[in-house]
Amino acid sequence: MPTDAAGGPAPTPAEESSASAVVTRFGAKSETYAMLVWRRFRRSTMGMIGLVLVMLLLVVSIFADFFAPMDPRATNLPFAPPDLIAFEDPQGNFSLIPYVYPIGDTGEFDPITYQPLTGAVKDDPTPTGFFVQGYSYRLFWVIPTNIHFFGSTDGRPIQLLGTDKFGRDILSRGIIGSRISLMIALAVVTMTTIVGTLVGITSGYIGGAVDAWVQRFVEFVLAFPQLPLYLALTSLIPVTAPSNVFLTFVIFVMAVLGWAQLSREVRSKTLSLARIEYVRAAIAVGATDRRIILRHILPNVLSHIIVAITLAIPSVVLLESFLGFLGFAVKPPLVSWGLMLQDTGTFSVIGSYPWILSPVIFVLITVFAFNALGDGLRDAVDPY
C-alpha cells in the first residue's frame, strides 16, 4: 500500500471523498449572512409563494401592454358580462387551444319568473391563441410592436372579466393599472424608507437634545389625522392639472405622512446597537460618526428595514385604492386599481353587475403576496 508524506498508508479514494464532504459541510466553506437568510427563507412555504407572486406581479407590471389582451381604451358593449373560456370546440370535443364563448340570451325562460336566461353562446366562439397580434404599443416605451401574450386570433374582443360602464375591458385595464399602482407603492416606500432611516439613525445615535426635539416632531406627525390631510392636500390640486403633476403630488403627500413610523422603529434599534461593545470600541479608537453609522449600525438595522419595506408596500396599495375610490388618487387617462373601483360606488351597480368588483382581486393578490413575503423574510432574518 502506498504511503503519504507522514509515512503512514495513503487514504483510499473513498476515504478522501468522505473526508472532503465532511470538511465541506462542517466548516471549510463559510456561508455569508445572505446565504443563511436565503436557506432559512426557503423553508417557509408561504414566503416562497409570496416571492413567486411578487416576481410575477413585477413582470406583469413591467410588460403590462404585452400581457393585456385588449386595448384598455377601446370601448365595446357597456357592462358586458365575463366571457366563458373553455377547452372544447363548438361540437363539444376537447381542444388544447381554448375557445371564448360570449355570454348572451339562450332563448330560454325561467319557468317561474319567465325571465330570459343567459348562458354561453356556442354558435360562434372566438378562437384564442398565444403570442397573437393586437393593438399597437411600445415595448419599454421605445420599441413599436403589436404582439400580445394571449388574445383572440381573429381580432374580435374578448372580456374575461367583463367590461365597465364605458365598455372597456376590465382585465386589460387591471393589468395596465398594476403599473401605476405598484409604481406609486414603490416610489412612496422608497422615499419613506430613505427619510425614515436617516432620521431614525441620526436621532438615535446623536441623542440628547437633538433626539428629544426630533422625537417630538415624529410624535406630532404620528398623532396627526392622516385621512383628512390626504383629502385636504389632494383637493388643492385643480382638476385641470396634468395627470403627471397630480400623481407626483399624491406620491409626495403619502411619503411626507408615512416616514415617521419607520424612523421610530429604526431609532429604537439604533439606541440598543449604540451600547454594544464593538460600537463602543470603535468610538474608543477614534472612528468617525459616519464610519460607525455606515459600517456598524446600518448593516445591523438593514434586515429590519427590508422587512418593513415588504410590509409597507401592501399598506400603500390599500391606501391608494381607498383614495382612488374616493376620487383623490390618479386622474384619467391614467389607470389604477383605485380609479377602477370608482365604478362600484353604488349598490345598484354592484347588485346588477358584480364583475365590476374584479379590481379587488388584483388588490387582494398584491397585498397577500407582499405580506407573505414580508412574514417569510421576518422569520428568516431574525429566527429568534
Side-chain angles (χ1 to χ4, degrees):
M1 179 177 294
T3 59
D4 58 3
T12 61
E15 293 175 347
E16 289 182 351
S17 61
S18 176
S20 62
V22 172
V23 172
T24 302
R25 182 179 179 182
F26 293 100
K29 182 181 178 182
S30 60
E31 291 184 333
T32 62
Y33 176 72
M35 296 174 63
L36 292 174
V37 171
W38 171 244
R39 188 175 66 179
R40 288 195 293 261
F41 179 77
R42 287 184 302 177
R43 300 172 184 172
S44 174
T45 303
M46 297 303 297
M48 292 300 297
I49 294 176
L51 178 62
V52 173
L53 289 177
V54 167
M55 296 302 296
L56 289 177
L57 285 171
L58 294 178
V59 171
V60 170
S61 63
I62 294 174
F63 303 97
D65 293 299
F66 171 70
F67 287 100
M70 294 288 296
D71 187 353
R73 297 174 297 273
T75 58
N76 295 291
L77 182 64
F79 291 122
D83 295 335
L84 175 64
I85 184 170
F87 290 88
E88 62 178 18
D89 56 15
Q91 290 74 29
N93 300 321
F94 176 77
S95 175
L96 293 176
I97 301 177
Y99 285 85
V100 172
Y101 297 96
I103 303 298
D105 294 335
T106 60
E108 300 178 357
F109 296 89
D110 187 272
I112 299 176
T113 61
Y114 296 101
Q115 295 292 329
L117 298 178
T118 59
V121 180
K122 296 187 176 182
D123 296 335
D124 188 18
T126 301
T128 61
F130 295 94
F131 303 101
V132 299
Q133 294 183 356
Y135 72 94
S136 300
Y137 64 94
R138 289 185 176 273
L139 187 63
F140 300 114
W141 297 276
V142 176
I143 305 173
T145 182
N146 62 350
I147 303 300
H148 297 267
F149 177 73
F150 178 79
S152 61
T153 58
D154 57 358
R156 286 188 290 179
I158 56 175
Q159 295 96 18
L160 300 182
L161 292 180
T163 60
D164 59 6
K165 61 182 179 181
F166 296 110
R168 298 171 299 189
D169 183 40
I170 294 178
L171 176 61
S172 300
R173 288 176 61 81
I175 294 175
I176 298 296
S178 65
R179 181 180 294 170
I180 299 296
S181 297
L182 291 180
M183 187 271 292
I184 292 176
L186 293 177
V188 171
V189 171
T190 300
M191 296 174 63
T192 56
T193 301
I194 295 175
V195 176
T197 302
L198 291 177
V199 173
I201 289 182
T202 303
S203 176
Y205 181 75
I206 296 177
V210 175
D211 181 46
W213 283 102
V214 170
Q215 292 310 307
R216 301 296 80 75
F217 179 72
V218 171
E219 291 172 358
F220 172 77
V221 175
L222 291 175
F224 203 88
Q226 295 188 2
L227 181 58
L229 186 60
Y230 282 128
L231 303 182
L233 293 179
T234 52
S235 299
L236 297 177
I237 298 295
V239 181
T240 57
S243 300
N244 296 332
V245 175
F246 194 88
L247 182 60
T248 303
F249 187 76
V250 170
I251 293 175
F252 176 76
V253 171
M254 290 185 181
V256 168
L257 299 178
W259 61 270
Q261 182 62 37
L262 179 61
S263 69
R264 177 63 64 87
E265 298 172 359
V266 173
R267 171 188 173 269
S268 63
K269 294 186 72 67
T270 303
L271 289 175
S272 61
L273 291 172
R275 294 175 173 81
I276 297 181
E277 287 76 8
Y278 61 81
V279 175
R280 293 182 175 273
I283 296 176
V285 299
T288 62
D289 294 339
R290 179 175 178 271
R291 179 180 177 83
I292 293 174
I293 292 175
L294 295 180
R295 296 295 300 273
H296 299 288
I297 296 180
L298 183 59
N300 291 279
V301 180
L302 194 60
S303 60
H304 177 81
I305 295 175
I306 293 175
V307 175
I309 290 174
T310 57
L311 296 178
I313 290 178
S315 300
V316 178
V317 171
L318 289 174
L319 179 60
E320 187 275 331
S321 301
F322 175 69
L323 294 178
F325 174 76
L326 296 178
F328 294 98
V330 301
K331 300 291 184 181
L334 298 178
V335 183
S336 71
W337 295 334
L339 184 63
M340 295 175 63
L341 289 174
Q342 288 185 7
D343 296 336
T344 63
T346 58
F347 290 102
S348 60
V349 173
I350 299 176
S352 302
Y353 317 108
W355 56 87
I356 295 297
L357 289 172
S358 298
V360 177
I361 300 175
F362 300 106
V363 178
L364 291 178
I365 293 176
T366 303
V367 172
F368 169 76
F370 280 100
N371 279 331
L373 177 62
D375 290 339
L377 283 176
R378 180 176 57 190
D379 296 337
V381 300
D382 190 11
Y384 306 106

